[in-house]
Amino acid sequence: EVQLLESGGGLVQPGGSLRLSCAASGFTFTNYAMIWVRQAPGQGLEWVSSVTSGGNTNYGDSVKGRFTISRDNSKNTLYLQMDNLRVDDTAVYHCAKPVTTGTRGQKSGFDYWGLGILVTVSS
Amino acid sequence: QSALTQPASVSGSPGQSITISCTGTSSDVGGYNFVSWYQVHPDKAPQLMIYEVTNRPSGASNRFSGSKSGNTASLTISGLQAEDEADYYCSSYTSSSTLVFGGGTKVTVL
């Protein structure tokens, strides 16, 4: 059974940092791209970042230069390092796995999602 | 990265069919067959209903179907049921190698 479990969220002051983790199980993690998506309170879904199975990364304009996505295939874990956090980064952050493997995966749909972890940026 | 355009709300009676539109540009929806649709119930993780415009993942109801014409993709829900009441989001791959979501559509079953 595929499982994705996020951790590392919490309350942080503006300008602070957090590192989110997403522990994956039930599939061959190495073969899949992975993404982070967030949903601010009362708002819609927003794509945050993607990392391919080969380690290539992409970021949304609102987080570029502040967030860093990475993966440790030996630990089946996805990370999101969030620096210089702003109030408008407050959201539930989900990691997700694509339907398909390889480079096509980052373009395709995402069939498994973690339940999400809340990040609150406030003074 | 402008969000894709979806209607804010769509409603229908049980048993009816409804269609949700998702309008982008030639740099996203119109340029690639990588449009997905997600169902989101309150405080739940998103569920994939359609990927690559027309494909249904295993476990998704066959009452859900997708299509695309030009820069606009559509999700049709046939035989509307109470359990279909949720928010729906489209998503597309873009020419910048990014993903973009629509603003979301609230579906109400009357």
Side-chain angles (χ1 to χ4, degrees), chain B residues 3-20:
Chain B
L4 306 176
T5 300
Q6 297 180 232
S9 63
V10 173
S11 61
S13 299
Q16 285 187 329
S17 293
I18 62 170
T19 297
I20 304 169

Side-chain angles (χ1 to χ4, degrees), chain A residues 34-45:
Chain A
M34 295 290 293
I35 66 169
W36 288 98
V37 172
R38 68 185 182 184
Q39 186 168 23
Q43 303 298 311
L45 299 177

Side-chain angles (χ1 to χ4, degrees), chain B:
Chain B
Q1 293 173 340
S2 299
L4 306 176
T5 300
Q6 297 180 232
S9 63
V10 173
S11 61
S13 299
Q16 285 187 329
S17 293
I18 62 170
T19 297
I20 304 169
S21 62
C22 170
T23 301
T25 69
S26 58
S27 295
D28 39 64
V29 174
Y32 304 91
N33 287 325
F34 289 115
V35 176
S36 303
W37 290 91
Y38 299 89
Q39 178 190 67
V40 183
H41 285 109
D43 298 323
K44 299 282 189 180
Q47 181 179 354
L48 178 67
M49 307 307 292
I50 295 288
Y51 69 101
E52 296 180 11
V53 180
T54 61
N55 295 332
R56 254 189 323 273
S58 59
S61 170
N62 58 10
R63 297 185 298 103
F64 290 79
S65 62
S67 63
K68 190 183 84 167
S69 178
N71 295 336
T72 298
S74 299
L75 174 71
T76 297
I77 309 174
S78 305
L80 198 62
Q81 299 179 2
E83 67 203 48
D84 300 331
E85 188 160 293
D87 294 327
Y88 291 83
Y89 294 86
C90 62
S91 173
S92 176
Y93 183 71
T94 81
S95 60
S96 302
S97 300
T98 62
L99 295 173
V100 61
F101 282 94
T105 298
K106 182 176 182 61
V107 168
T108 302
V109 181
L110 301 171

